[in-house]
Amino acid sequence: MPGKLSAKDIKDKLFDDNLDLSLCELEDVPVREIAIARRFSILDLSNNYLTTLPPNFATLAQIVKLDLSKNQLTELPENFGDLKQLRHLDLYGNQISRLPLSLGQLKKLKWLDLKENPLTPSVASIAGPCNNSKECQDCARNVVKYLANVAVTIEEEKLRRLTDAQESEKVVVTTEKKHKKKKHKKKNANKDKITNEGDEVSAQDDKDNGLVKETSLNEFHNKNNFSIGGTCYSLCQIFYQAVLLSIVIMLLAVLFVAVFPVYNYEKSEEFFAYVEKHFDFPLKGIRHEIIKLAKAFPVIMEDWINTAILYLKELYNRYFNHTGKLLPDGYKLV
């Protein structure tokens, strides 16, 4: 059946140490059947319909040369770096945009072709062309080194964040202990104060009467202050609502001046002329200024947004990205 290979079919395609499964219309890699043929080190899966590689593909650890060109692969499995013996890798003509970080572990990789893939700009610039043997060798060396460095950068950032989190937790615990200790001391002090006050109650009868009167007077003043505060609060509310209503009326008036001529130009001109004549208010000039401002508004907003984006990037790089640079395209902390 097209696209399906049995263990016997795969065995028939094994020549010495070369297993040739190209042009077999494969949509999935038959890893289990391939694993039975243990005596090969070269695997050719080119010119098929592969879109992904299964996670257990990395169990074929004996592969030295792997050809996956002219398929429809969009990515490689994250454990692809387990193919430690791999020296030659052909990924020409696929749909790969991002390479797994584990590929940086392939220290024996000496040849790599990534042409005709929609790589991220950072990886594409590192990979470079692969039009001859030397360029493909440089591609392998540069990509492996680059991905290894990215993996180290991410691990350092994760370790830094973990350390910061632990330090923050220590600070919180220390603060809570100090707060509890302070609260305990305050509680003991209050108990001592209550005891001392209880011992002096019998000698303070006359003073207590004076305190009662003073307390009543304080309550009276507090009520009056509360009343005054309530009055101020009400006046502030009225003022706030009046300002808000004025702004709404102003916005409606601006909208009316700008939109009315669109629906009835002649009537609007008569209305504007009447207002300017009897109230000496330049409505036409205001309308022209509103239109001019509306036309300039998108440009102003675009400049403001671009400035805000640059400021936020600078702020992020200064206070959050302690490595001094952003992570490469397509890679992030997990």
Side-chain angles (χ1 to χ4, degrees), residues 24 53 76 119 202 229-230 237 254 256 285 298 303 320:
C24 291
L53 298 179
L76 298 177
L119 300 171
S202 58
Q237 284 288 89
V254 169
F256 172 77
D303 292 340
F320 297 98

Side-chain angles (χ1 to χ4, degrees), residues 173-328:
V173 171
T174 304
T175 304
E176 289 180 351
K177 287 182 178 180
K178 289 182 179 179
H179 180 70
K180 288 181 179 179
K181 189 175 180 180
K182 186 176 180 181
K183 188 175 181 181
H184 182 68
K185 288 182 178 180
K186 187 176 180 180
K187 186 176 181 181
N188 291 336
N190 289 335
K191 287 183 179 179
D192 295 339
K193 185 177 179 181
I194 291 172
T195 303
N196 293 333
E197 288 178 352
D199 294 337
E200 297 174 358
V201 167
S202 58
Q204 298 295 329
D205 291 338
D206 295 335
K207 292 183 179 180
D208 287 343
N209 293 330
L211 289 173
V212 170
K213 294 179 180 179
E214 185 177 353
T215 302
S216 300
L217 187 60
N218 288 336
E219 289 179 355
F220 173 76
H221 286 301
N222 289 336
K223 288 180 180 179
N224 287 340
N225 290 336
F226 176 78
S227 177
I228 293 172
T231 304
C232 292
Y233 177 77
S234 300
L235 291 174
C236 289
Q237 284 288 89
I238 294 172
F239 177 75
Y240 168 75
Q241 292 176 2
V243 171
L244 186 62
L245 181 61
S246 301
I247 293 173
V248 171
I249 293 173
M250 188 181 302
L251 290 176
L252 290 175
V254 169
L255 185 63
F256 172 77
V257 171
V259 175
F260 183 35
V262 176
Y263 292 96
N264 195 326
Y265 182 79
E266 294 180 357
K267 291 289 184 180
S268 65
E269 288 295 318
E270 293 179 2
F271 175 75
F272 292 159
Y274 178 83
V275 171
E276 290 182 350
K277 180 179 179 181
H278 290 82
F279 298 97
D280 195 21
F281 193 73
L283 279 183
K284 291 183 179 180
I286 292 175
R287 179 174 177 270
H288 290 315
E289 290 298 324
I290 292 172
I291 294 173
K292 188 186 299 182
L293 181 62
K295 290 180 179 179
F297 182 75
V299 177
I300 296 172
M301 285 301 297
E302 183 178 2
D303 292 340
W304 186 87
I305 291 171
N306 291 333
T307 303
I309 290 173
L310 290 175
Y311 176 76
L312 289 174
K313 284 184 177 179
E314 181 182 353
L315 194 66
Y316 172 78
N317 290 334
R318 182 179 301 175
Y319 295 104
F320 297 98
N321 188 8
H322 293 265
T323 59
K325 57 183 179 180
L326 292 174
L327 295 177

